Amino acid sequence: MATLKLFNTLGRRKEEFKPLYDNEVGMYTCGPTVYQYAHIGNLRTYIFEDILRRVLEYNNYKVKHVMNITDVGHLTSDADEGEDKMEVGARLAGKSAWEIAQLYTEAFFKDTERLNILKPHIVCKATDHIPEQIALIQKLEAKGFTYRTSDGIYFDVSKFPDYGKLAGQRLEEKEAGARVEVNPEKRNPADFALWKFSPKGVKRQMEWDSPWGVGFPGWHIECSAMSTKYLGQPFDIHCGGVDHIPIHHTNEIAQSEAAEGVKMANFWLHGEFMIVEGRRMGKSEGNAYLLDDLIKRGYDPLAFRYLCLNTHYRIQLNFTWQALDGAQTALERLREHVRTARAGGGDPAQGKISPEVRERFLAAINDDLNVPQALGVVWDFVRSPQNPSDKLATLLDFDRVLGLRLSEVHAEETVEVPQEVRELLTQREAARKAKNFKEADALRAKIAQLGYDVIDTPQGPKVKRR
Ligand code: AMP
Ligand code: ZN
């Protein structure tokens, strides 16, 4: 059986994955900063992490998945300068920082649900863990890793010899490349804030008392405090997007390992960016789409998921509408295979999965989550002659990893049509019954705009994707 190999950023090579304890896997994924809607680039990273979790589960590991919600302390630059993103987001929305945290957290989970991303077992908010963060800073203080400036408590990276090991950068190289120093009170340019004081004379919306003065935690400390609390230290796997390697994760390692004297996590996995015309997709770049934008244009959220599955997570994914069209078509074809198998009397409970096909699928996903190759196995399989029950059993088994909700596809076509289209179809029927043909035609045009044709059959109207 193919063993699971994962590319570990720490050491930059594929390594065989072995959990620290029996068959249980502790997995920590850095969650969203909830000051705006997540864009589809962010969502690509969460899909990659979802695939990782599903592959672990497919390999019969019992996963404990923890994700934080950054609802305070992430400043507008990843270094410790600028304003808190939450306070900026609140001002722009004309709401309180607490309100927007709730609003965007809910929106985030609505998106992940639509993408069939499994919910973490533990979702923890930074603002709910202030005492844990303070305790960790005190531990670092007692061990001599911290110092005080006029605006906060900082971590002295020169005291931690392994600083930069994740990024494969030596401290001197990092400092040589650092831009002009903005905070002259820092001892080393790479030093970072553990606790920031509220500016004098300013009442922040989010601030807490601490042994050092009123303020708020630095961005990185929450992940060190919460991962240790829920997973212990060391734990198995930590992940995020590639942008986290040089700063956020590097600083998490420095804090956790300086405090506990043991490794923070065994495996570090990072997903590459989604890009648009060669540039990273980003909220501040002005080139970001939301999942809602895709849905408004008539795309199924799972077509976006399929698009992500089709590119290996360590390769940049260039987003184009054409590629999304291709993904939607491929997804529809896959569903059609399920439909036909069901219509042909297939029953997955009666079907057998060929060990040879399963091994090929497993070999692909276990080779550092090579899902594009696994999809190749799936397509070879569905195109070869199969009895309907075997076909269903195999596809539904593979879908435990792919997460395309194939088990919800039934012989009846209209089931997978988006809710919005189904509602428009019902309205059109009502208009036709009332002999309001102008209205009925307008509704048909609206349905067409969403990418569906209405076909009137003796059994009533049906829709078909173009
Ligand atoms: P944020 O909410 O900004 O903290 O980002 C959430 C996650 O999305 C992080 O893991 C980032 O690394 C990741 N991310 C940010 N931009 C992109 C992008 N263009 N493509 C893929 N992942 C991204
Ligand atoms: Zn983190």
Side-chain angles (χ1 to χ4, degrees):
M1 215 184 86
T3 52
L4 175 59
K5 292 205 178 70
L6 299 172
F7 185 88
N8 194 347
T9 306
L10 197 60
R12 294 207 144 57
R13 60 189 180 91
K14 272 191 216 173
E15 283 176 43
E16 186 174 332
F17 176 74
K18 287 234 168 61
L20 287 158
Y21 312 101
D22 300 328
N23 75 332
E24 299 198 353
V25 179
M27 168 171 158
Y28 186 93
T29 55
C30 290
T33 307
V34 284
Y35 71 111
Q36 263 186 28
Y37 293 107
H39 58 68
I40 56 172
N42 302 132
L43 294 171
R44 179 194 186 195
T45 294
Y46 299 108
I47 290 174
F48 136 63
E49 293 161 345
D50 183 57
I51 291 292
L52 170 61
R53 170 168 161 191
R54 286 167 179 271
V55 167
L56 289 162
E57 290 176 346
Y58 196 83
N59 279 274
N60 296 320
Y61 292 121
K62 193 172 175 320
V63 180
K64 180 174 177 187
H65 179 194
V66 179
M67 187 176 83
N68 67 305
I69 299 286
T70 298
D71 55 356
V72 67
H74 191 170
L75 303 191
T76 45
S77 92
D78 271 0
D80 298 300
E81 301 304 325
E83 268 188 280
D84 188 329
K85 289 186 178 189
M86 294 303 297
E87 306 247 340
V88 177
R91 199 169 56 233
L92 290 175
K95 294 191 160 83
S96 80
W98 298 97
E99 283 167 339
I100 63 156
Q102 191 181 347
L103 173 79
Y104 295 124
T105 303
E106 280 167 13
F108 173 74
F109 284 115
K110 186 171 162 205
D111 281 353
T112 55
E113 210 281 318
R114 292 192 288 197
L115 292 168
N116 202 18
I117 292 174
L118 300 171
K119 193 142 188 202
H121 304 100
I122 295 175
V123 174
C124 39
K125 290 196 244 171
T127 53
D128 283 342
H129 295 76
I130 302 297
E132 288 86 342
Q133 296 176 68
I134 290 177
L136 181 54
I137 302 169
Q138 283 177 308
K139 208 167 198 177
L140 290 168
E141 187 176 43
K143 292 192 171 189
F145 286 99
T146 69
Y147 63 93
R148 188 186 182 107
T149 72
S150 58
D151 75 354
I153 303 297
Y154 282 79
F155 185 98
D156 184 342
V157 299
S158 68
K159 300 255 168 73
F160 183 70
D162 269 352
Y163 192 80
K165 69 174 172 182
L166 185 68
Q169 253 179 336
R170 293 211 325 276
L171 190 55
E172 308 85 81
E173 291 167 15
K174 183 161 179 155
E175 306 220 313
R179 59 204 162 81
V180 185
E181 193 41 54
V182 267
N183 181 347
E185 287 182 74
K186 286 209 291 194
R187 291 183 188 162
N188 313 285
D191 291 354
F192 55 91
L194 298 165
W195 187 264
K196 280 214 123 180
F197 303 135
S198 295
K200 285 208 171 56
V202 176
K203 171 100 185 90
R204 277 175 48 94
Q205 295 184 39
M206 292 176 153
E207 59 182 17
W208 296 264
D209 209 359
S210 83
W212 311 280
V214 174
F216 57 101
W219 171 35
H220 320 293
I221 198 77
E222 66 181 75
C223 289
S224 287
M226 296 192 286
S227 62
T228 307
K229 170 166 180 169
Y230 294 109
L231 296 173
Q233 192 177 321
F235 59 91
D236 293 292
I237 307 181
H238 195 316
C239 20
V242 282
D243 53 327
H244 284 347
I245 300 171
I247 299 179
H248 183 53
H249 287 170
T250 288
N251 293 349
E252 280 186 32
I253 289 178
Q255 297 165 152
S256 293
E257 300 192 359
E260 303 299 332
V262 293
K263 216 174 181 185
M264 182 180 190
N266 250 0
F267 277 79
W268 290 81
L269 268 72
H270 293 96
E272 254 299 349
F273 282 146
M274 172 164 274
I275 57 171
V276 187
E277 288 162 2
R279 276 170 48 234
R280 166 185 174 181
M281 182 178 283
K283 289 163 191 162
S284 50
E285 309 277 340
N287 60 2
Y289 294 105
L290 307 183
L291 189 60
D292 268 329
D293 296 331
L294 273 46
I295 293 169
K296 276 188 205 129
R297 290 201 191 195
Y299 292 96
D300 186 322
L302 293 176
F304 176 69
R305 182 175 174 104
Y306 189 99
L307 179 76
C308 294
L309 299 187
N310 227 352
T311 300
H312 189 261
Y313 77 94
R314 284 196 292 119
I315 296 177
Q316 290 192 338
L317 198 172
N318 188 34
F319 178 79
T320 64
W321 294 105
Q322 215 178 2
L324 188 58
D325 281 338
Q328 179 127 333
T329 305
L331 175 63
E332 247 335 291
R333 287 203 181 124
L334 207 50
R335 287 171 169 164
E336 199 56 46
H337 279 284
V338 176
R339 260 178 228 127
T340 325
R342 288 215 196 266
D347 173 4
Q350 304 298 323
K352 284 188 294 299
I353 304 169
S354 133
E356 185 261 335
V357 177
R358 193 166 202 263
E359 187 55 33
R360 280 175 59 212
F361 182 78
L362 196 65
I365 57 171
N366 277 4
D367 180 14
D368 190 30
L369 319 181
N370 196 337
V371 184
Q373 192 182 318
L375 282 173
V377 175
V378 170
W379 284 110
D380 281 350
F381 170 75
V382 293
R383 286 180 184 133
S384 60
Q386 305 291 336
N387 83 55
S389 294
D390 291 355
K391 194 169 189 173
L392 280 178
T394 309
L395 280 177
L396 299 196
D397 181 64
F398 292 172
D399 201 44
R400 284 162 50 208
V401 172
L402 305 176
L404 295 170
R405 291 198 166 121
L406 296 181
S407 65
E408 292 168 32
V409 178
H410 300 285
E412 189 49 45
E413 165 147 46
T414 39
V415 175
E416 304 77 37
V417 171
Q419 176 79 14
E420 195 182 354
V421 172
R422 271 183 277 154
E423 278 166 15
L424 289 171
L425 195 64
T426 313
Q427 287 172 27
R428 177 176 172 271
E429 261 312 274
R432 265 160 46 98
K433 286 221 173 86
K435 305 224 176 310
N436 188 349
F437 295 115
K438 211 169 154 200
E439 169 78 2
D441 281 348
L443 286 161
R444 176 198 281 271
K446 247 188 180 162
I447 294 170
Q449 271 174 11
L450 294 172
Y452 288 83
D453 287 327
V454 180
I455 303 152
D456 291 308
T457 73
Q459 290 80 34
K462 289 217 158 103
V463 285
K464 207 167 167 47
R465 251 210 90 77
R466 294 200 157 161

